[in-house]
Amino acid sequence: MAKITAGVATSHVPLIGVGIDQGKQNDPYFKPIFAGYEWTKEWISKPENKPDVVVLIFNDHASAFGQNLIPTFSIGCAEEFAPADEGWGPRLVPNVKNHPDLAWHIAQSLIIDEFDMTIINEMDVDHGLTVPLSAMFGQPDAWPTLVVPIMVNVITYPIPSGDRCFRLGQAIARAVESFPEDLNVQIWGTGGMSHQLQGPRAGLINQEWDQKFLDDLTADPERLRTIPHIEYLRETGSEGIEMVMWLVMLGALDAPKELHRHYHVPASNTALGHIVLENNP
Ligand code: DHB
Ligand code: FE
């Protein structure tokens, strides 16, 4: 049977991708940003930790969808996804390959389980998906894992609640663990942490709030479930709401144990957070 072995969360700040693509890993600005991923790169390269499939929770930033189409929860079921052109041409990273049978199984299981997913058969993927892959795997010729992309709308209100996202994660776990193929599956949550990209509060970073969020992924997940949107807005800035995608990851895990944490300020205008959680240790 397929098994969720770990949860991985990371900010998806586009600047991380720029640093990797332009070979700036040893530049003094980027060095401490990349240092925090070294542990994970080594961990994920070990055969027992290498995922066959990553269920990757991310948000599109008006690259594949615009104001004409705003799916709240959607799942990519195509064979593969090309990097999106976000204004400077597509990133020169490999196409992302899906496990379509698992993706369709998850879609069916979620819909029967009362999460009415939008099914996406054609989509280019932006930094929300490709930057986490680059952070974890560097610059390979092909990504070393298959990816089932699950998108959450965190761009245009109304945005789903953190608790709804947590319950989606629980339903994803039921879906994955009823898939008959033996697969090592990881669930990744992306985005965050505190950041605001526009307006008078642009550059807002709340380190204390972010660290407590990281603590409570293992210490008090029930508190995280109940954080209302207004608290994300007030305490973490307008884009801090991306952290509801970490709650999808959290909902899919059972009594996780923290293996590794990285928090660095600033990356671009943003607090960068990254955590690795072992499932059901
Ligand atoms: C930044 C962060 C994001 O999450 C994003 O989607 C775009 C930009 C930033 O901090 O630059
Ligand atoms: Fe983002």
Side-chain angles (χ1 to χ4, degrees):
M1 300 297 273
K3 205 166 166 314
I4 297 178
T5 55
V8 176
T10 181
S11 306
H12 57 220
V13 190
L15 193 66
I16 301 174
V18 173
I20 294 169
D21 298 348
Q22 298 185 3
K24 297 199 161 149
Q25 285 86 340
N26 289 317
D27 177 297
Y29 181 86
F30 284 98
K31 220 174 163 134
I33 290 176
F34 290 118
Y37 291 99
E38 286 307 314
W39 184 93
T40 314
K41 290 174 92 160
E42 194 178 326
W43 170 82
I44 210 165
S45 70
K46 294 190 177 137
E48 66 271 27
N49 300 325
K50 194 200 138 320
D52 299 306
V53 186
V54 170
V55 176
L56 200 155
I57 317 301
F58 82 107
N59 69 289
D60 174 74
H61 302 74
S63 304
F65 313 122
Q67 291 302 306
N68 55 335
L69 186 65
I70 307 172
T72 299
F73 293 128
S74 51
I75 178 165
C77 291
E79 295 276 341
E80 62 184 287
F81 308 94
D85 184 345
E86 299 182 60
W88 295 271
R91 286 186 67 208
L92 295 174
V93 293
N95 281 4
V96 176
K97 297 227 176 7
N98 200 349
H99 187 314
D101 287 347
L102 176 60
W104 277 103
H105 170 84
I106 293 173
Q108 170 172 303
S109 177
L110 289 177
I111 290 168
I112 299 297
D113 215 354
E114 301 181 352
F115 281 88
D116 303 319
M117 307 298 289
T118 299
I119 290 166
I120 311 282
N121 284 319
E122 206 180 304
M123 170 175 67
D124 290 347
V125 289
D126 71 10
H127 66 272
L129 188 146
T130 60
V131 163
L133 286 173
S134 297
M136 252 50 87
F137 296 120
Q139 294 173 295
D141 292 332
W143 297 120
T145 179
L146 301 172
V147 175
V148 176
I150 293 190
M151 284 74 69
V152 180
N153 165 44
V154 293
I155 295 288
T156 303
Y157 284 83
I159 288 170
S161 71
D163 189 55
R164 181 74 176 148
C165 288
F166 187 93
R167 285 182 284 130
L168 174 64
Q170 292 176 316
I172 290 171
R174 289 191 286 273
V176 168
E177 290 178 356
S178 63
F179 189 68
E181 194 181 336
D182 279 329
L183 292 172
N184 180 337
V185 178
Q186 291 182 2
I187 181 147
W188 292 11
T190 72
M193 297 197 80
S194 54
H195 63 307
Q196 171 145 346
L197 300 176
Q198 74 285 305
R201 296 208 308 163
L204 181 146
I205 287 176
N206 187 341
Q207 301 195 39
E208 200 182 322
W209 196 99
D210 288 343
Q211 290 286 4
K212 182 86 174 93
F213 188 96
L214 290 167
D215 291 344
D216 284 349
L217 288 168
T218 51
D220 193 359
E222 289 302 313
R223 181 186 75 83
L224 301 187
R225 286 178 76 161
T226 64
I227 297 171
H229 286 353
I230 193 72
E231 180 174 335
Y232 286 106
L233 271 167
R234 186 182 64 234
E235 300 296 331
T236 75
S238 50
E239 276 68 50
I241 194 68
E242 288 185 342
M243 271 182 281
V244 296
M245 294 184 291
W246 294 37
L247 297 187
V248 181
M249 168 198 74
L250 189 60
L253 301 176
D254 178 20
K257 177 180 159 206
E258 180 173 335
L259 298 179
H260 174 65
R261 179 192 297 204
H262 173 40
Y263 185 79
H264 178 77
V265 171
S268 172
N269 261 345
T270 302
L272 183 156
H274 165 49
I275 200 160
V276 180
L277 302 172
E278 182 181 0
N279 194 24
N280 202 359

